[in-house]
Amino acid sequence: MNTHDQHVESADGTRLVVRRLGAGDPVVLVHGSGGGLHSWAAVAEHLAHDHEVWMPARRGYGPSDAPPGTKSFKDDTADLITVIEAARQPSGKPVHLVGASYGATLALHTTSADPRDVRSLAIFEPPLFAAGAETAPLLGRYRSAFERDDAEAMAAALNDVTRVPAEVVAAFAAAAGDRRPDPVEARRSAIGWLHDLEALAEDSTDITRWSSISVPTLLLAGADTWEPMPTTMNTLATTIRAARYVVWPGQSHFVTMTAPTLVADALRQFFAEVSA
């Protein structure tokens, strides 16, 4: 299916690159940390048969701009509102907003700040536990490793942020074998992670602040994702009381890559129900 990349300009002049494909009601897919234009590609291919899918590269992630200075969720929210406004223009219809991981946290921030153009909200495993005072020193460790281009130390700091179990880290390392990441993409991801950690370090772990969200909401999770994500998601499900909560057996935090059809089907069904 053909894709089209375009630029939108955020309120502070930051240039964002957005990938579009498909036709129909607009859907905005927001990627997590370490991601980019490619993150939602497999899911988007399924959704684009009957939706117009918009996939922005968030600020800090090339080919979008990485402005100087410290990033905050206020910056990310302003960016996403700009993308949502652009996605709404062709049809005049409000968007279905979908976020994964950090992108899910951003989707919560954005919907809470300005829900007017959001038809529905679907979020997958936002790391709401990874914020505030406990994350600040990890940001310091990561920034120090980033400045000396120490990939191993950067990865160790990120593992402490995300709390990925050692056995999962080892499994990924074994699967990668002798393969080495593309250095350009690795640096792009490293810059993005730095800016995301800046925003997380200034954020709060207070989940009750999302209780004001009233748009139709779908919470998604993998049954095999490690703690504290399950506890976090259960708390969020009781906070956004009208939300539907789906937990997929046998899936983990990487379900958008490992089972994109499962994700796309759940989203398509949700969109149809809230649009009826």
Side-chain angles (χ1 to χ4, degrees):
M1 187 172 293
N2 292 333
T3 62
H4 169 69
D5 290 355
Q6 70 180 69
H7 302 112
V8 299
E9 187 171 304
S10 191
D12 66 354
T14 298
R15 189 192 67 156
L16 305 170
V17 177
V18 183
R19 181 158 293 168
R20 293 172 56 187
L21 69 161
D25 290 350
V27 177
V28 176
L29 303 176
V30 190
H31 69 81
S33 296
L37 292 175
H38 62 282
S39 296
W40 282 99
V43 174
E45 286 289 338
H46 294 287
L47 291 178
H49 293 294
D50 44 21
H51 293 85
E52 182 177 66
V53 183
W54 292 62
M55 295 173 287
R58 294 190 286 99
R59 73 166 56 203
Y61 289 90
S64 292
D65 289 346
T70 300
K71 190 187 79 166
S72 69
F73 272 108
K74 183 178 179 180
D75 299 319
D76 267 335
T77 296
D79 293 348
L80 187 51
I81 288 172
T82 299
V83 173
I84 289 170
E85 290 173 346
R88 177 166 187 170
Q89 287 177 3
S91 66
K93 295 181 178 180
V95 309
H96 298 291
L97 180 60
V98 184
S101 198
Y102 180 102
T105 304
L106 173 55
L108 287 168
H109 274 279
T110 303
T111 304
S112 180
D114 189 353
R116 290 173 298 176
D117 290 336
V118 178
R119 177 68 186 89
S120 72
L121 174 66
I123 58 173
F124 175 76
E125 295 191 343
L128 302 177
F129 56 85
E134 290 188 8
T135 301
L138 299 176
L139 165 62
R141 277 178 50 197
Y142 183 88
R143 180 180 280 120
S144 176
F146 175 85
E147 290 172 349
R148 63 180 189 270
D149 198 21
D150 186 339
E152 184 175 346
M154 281 189 283
L158 294 180
N159 288 340
D160 286 344
V161 172
T162 59
R163 307 186 195 181
V164 182
E167 58 269 24
V168 175
V169 174
F172 272 111
D178 294 331
R179 288 175 295 170
R180 293 291 178 266
D182 176 85
V184 174
E185 287 299 322
R187 189 63 178 178
R188 176 179 289 179
S189 176
I191 293 170
W193 262 111
L194 175 62
H195 290 298
D196 287 353
L197 288 174
E198 290 171 345
L200 289 169
E202 292 185 358
D203 201 25
S204 167
T205 57
D206 178 19
I207 296 178
T208 62
R209 59 189 161 150
W210 310 122
S211 61
S212 63
I213 291 176
S214 59
V215 302
T217 300
L218 175 66
L219 305 180
L220 301 167
D224 291 352
T225 301
W226 50 90
E227 286 287 357
M229 187 61 79
T231 297
T232 299
M233 291 300 297
N234 290 338
T235 303
L236 187 60
T238 61
T239 299
I240 306 177
R241 296 189 178 278
R244 307 176 204 183
Y245 186 20
V246 175
V247 180
W248 288 308
Q251 302 298 332
S252 72
H253 196 62
F254 311 106
V255 66
T256 55
M257 294 179 290
T258 58
T261 303
L262 178 70
V263 177
D265 287 346
L267 292 174
R268 185 181 289 108
Q269 179 180 348
F270 176 58
F271 299 158
E273 291 172 356
V274 300
S275 299

